[in-house]
Amino acid sequence: MQNRSKTYWINLLTLFFKFSFWGLLIALTLFWALRSGWEDFRGYYSAAMVVVRGGNPYDYSQIAAVLEEVIGSPSNNPYFYPPWFSLLFVPFTLLSYPAARTLWFIINGALFYVSLELLYKGMQWQLASWKRWALYALSILAFASYSQRFGQAGIFVFFGLALALYAVRREILWLAGLGLIVAVTKPQATLLVVLALGIWLLLHQSKAAVWGVGWGVGLLLLSSLLIPRWWHFEWDGFGQGLSYTMSGPDQVGSERVLSTAQDFSRYVLGLPLVYQYVFWVCMGLLSACLVVYTLRKLPGVLPLVSVSTLFMLAITPYALQYDYVHLAIPVFWMLQQLPRVEVKYRYGVIGLLLFAFSVYFWQTWSYEGYWQVIAVLLAFVLLLVGMRSTRKMEAVSD
């Protein structure tokens, strides 16, 4: 009788969190899809339109002209992505801009669910169903909301890493290589992660690394065929859109505020310039030490990807919070390892992760999002300290 009652409540909890997840995902997707805003999809759509018309997406003057047609303003959307990324959006140009942006938001929402499933299965994590759906629901708010709000590519990048990890586990080598190329779409957020994973693949599944190179070369050749001389554009002032808001070619506006160590130390901690660099170096050293320690004590691809993700986001000179979606990887891995952590440290790890989840609800400015990186990084340190023994740590696999 007690077992039947327990099963009933577990099933009820599972149903509640499953509905919570799908309700949140659908509601947020439709809310941002139907709400007219300054989403970054306008830049992807305009770049694809330029390609369709035989132009160069890296020429901001051509992008600005299309943006004038699409939204009535040249806005701040220079194109900085790999050339092949613009080709993905060519089919969207068959639709009107409102219809295309709605479709992109729906695809993004679906990709986030698929990414969570790929990550979960790639981890071979045996978690109670209600806990899994509860974690999925929290992940929407902590990791997907910001990216979805701006129609960004953060979820797409997370999908690439999750796909690679899943394919590594299943030894689907061509798929692992494809995941690497998808993940490097935004190198300022994933370059070190992809390099670390690529080196691991060279040592353990070398054919997957070869597939990654093959995918990269193939997509570059395809881009060069469909976008002739895409590399031929005016380099002078090309990167201004990364540091400043642009209201058109050569029309520099205000300085951009980022979710990085530099802007966090400047605006949150109020440090002078010299000490901003000191803070950045300290974050880098802490992250680097974690990478070395993890490589020595925790063999396996998931610890490596987790710690390299933290390293990359801790030191990147350019990122906004919509680039944090793949922060879900170290969070999931840490939660999987909690049973191996001494109880007195376990609650500290959980507390720090809950703080990381909470940032989205109370933050006002983008630079405050860096609190997520700090909280997860400290949780990672506490997790390592709390591992019960060196022997057990060495036994941990991916």
Side-chain angles (χ1 to χ4, degrees):
M1 192 69 177
Q2 286 182 342
N3 288 338
R4 186 178 299 177
S5 176
K6 183 179 179 181
T7 301
Y8 170 80
W9 285 108
I10 289 175
N11 290 338
L12 194 63
L13 272 176
T14 301
L15 191 64
F16 171 77
F17 285 116
K18 185 180 288 190
F19 271 103
S20 297
F21 170 78
W22 287 111
L24 278 171
L25 187 64
I26 293 170
L28 286 174
T29 296
L30 293 179
F31 176 78
W32 293 118
L34 299 175
R35 182 179 181 271
S36 179
W38 294 96
E39 65 283 334
D40 287 276
F41 174 73
R42 62 193 174 174
Y44 311 151
Y45 184 84
S46 298
M49 288 289 288
V50 169
V51 170
V52 168
R53 295 174 182 180
N56 188 337
Y58 295 104
D59 184 346
Y60 187 25
S61 63
Q62 296 181 43
I63 292 282
V66 175
L67 285 167
E68 283 277 9
E69 298 176 26
V70 172
I71 64 170
S73 167
S75 73
N76 184 44
N77 280 101
Y79 184 77
F80 298 116
Y81 295 81
W84 57 263
F85 187 66
S86 64
L87 298 177
L88 293 178
F89 293 90
V90 167
F92 287 85
T93 62
L94 299 174
L95 303 173
S96 66
Y97 177 71
R101 67 185 292 279
T102 300
L103 178 61
W104 170 243
F105 276 87
I106 292 172
I107 290 174
N108 244 358
L111 268 184
F112 186 67
Y113 167 68
V114 171
S115 301
L116 291 176
E117 284 289 293
L118 288 172
L119 178 60
Y120 181 78
K121 291 176 181 178
M123 293 172 66
Q124 294 186 329
W125 194 2
Q126 301 301 317
L127 191 63
S129 186
W130 72 269
K131 292 181 180 178
R132 177 164 68 95
W133 287 106
L135 181 57
Y136 281 13
L138 281 173
S139 297
I140 293 174
L141 300 172
F143 307 118
S145 295
Y146 214 87
S147 181
Q148 191 72 315
R149 174 182 175 184
F150 292 98
Q152 251 284 340
I155 291 173
F156 181 74
V157 169
F158 173 45
F159 167 71
L161 286 173
L163 181 66
L165 290 171
Y166 173 83
V168 165
R169 172 67 70 181
R170 300 299 176 95
E171 297 187 359
I172 309 174
L173 305 182
W174 67 270
L175 199 59
L178 179 60
L180 284 179
I181 298 304
V182 172
V184 83
T185 300
K186 302 195 77 173
Q188 77 275 13
T190 61
L191 182 60
L192 295 180
V193 187
V194 171
L195 284 175
L197 182 52
I199 292 171
W200 188 93
L201 288 173
L202 275 175
L203 296 175
H204 298 89
Q205 295 182 9
S206 57
K207 289 183 179 179
V210 174
W211 269 107
V213 173
W215 278 112
V217 172
L219 287 171
L220 199 59
L221 290 174
L222 179 64
S223 302
S224 300
L225 179 65
L226 298 179
I227 315 173
R229 296 174 62 82
W230 56 263
W231 59 90
H232 187 71
F233 58 90
E234 182 58 53
W235 284 88
D236 187 31
F238 174 67
Q240 285 182 322
L242 298 175
S243 302
Y244 302 94
T245 57
M246 307 285 289
S247 54
D250 300 320
Q251 298 181 34
V252 178
S254 59
E255 185 177 356
R256 298 191 70 180
V257 179
L258 307 171
S259 307
T260 59
Q262 292 92 328
D263 279 0
F264 177 85
S265 60
R266 178 182 179 183
Y267 295 108
V268 175
L269 302 181
L271 298 179
L273 182 61
V274 173
Y275 292 104
Q276 292 173 29
Y277 286 108
V278 171
F279 177 80
W280 178 77
V281 169
C282 289
M283 291 298 293
L285 287 175
L286 174 61
S287 304
C289 289
L290 284 180
V291 170
V292 173
Y293 190 79
T294 301
L295 287 173
R296 292 181 58 193
K297 298 294 183 179
L298 299 170
V301 66
L302 267 166
L304 175 63
V305 171
S306 296
V307 74
S308 57
T309 294
L310 290 172
F311 188 22
M312 183 76 244
L313 294 179
I315 68 168
T316 180
Y318 179 82
L320 283 157
Q321 208 168 341
Y322 44 59
D323 297 317
Y324 286 2
V325 185
H326 59 296
L327 198 59
I329 296 173
V331 168
F332 273 48
W333 181 79
M334 281 190 283
L335 290 174
Q336 186 186 33
Q337 303 309 310
L338 274 183
R340 305 172 188 268
V341 177
E342 293 182 33
V343 175
K344 64 181 180 180
Y345 295 106
R346 194 177 302 171
Y347 293 111
V349 173
I350 293 172
L352 285 166
L353 293 182
L354 286 175
F355 175 77
F357 279 125
S358 76
V359 173
Y360 181 76
F361 295 99
W362 53 261
Q363 71 176 107
T364 303
W365 301 100
S366 56
Y367 49 76
E368 292 175 308
Y370 193 75
W371 276 117
Q372 285 192 312
V373 175
I374 293 174
V376 178
L377 190 64
L378 292 177
F380 200 93
V381 172
L382 205 56
L383 182 95
L384 297 182
V385 173
M387 290 289 190
R388 290 183 181 140
S389 68
T390 303
R391 182 181 60 82
K392 287 187 177 181
M393 288 179 69
E394 291 174 344
V396 174
S397 66
D398 57 333

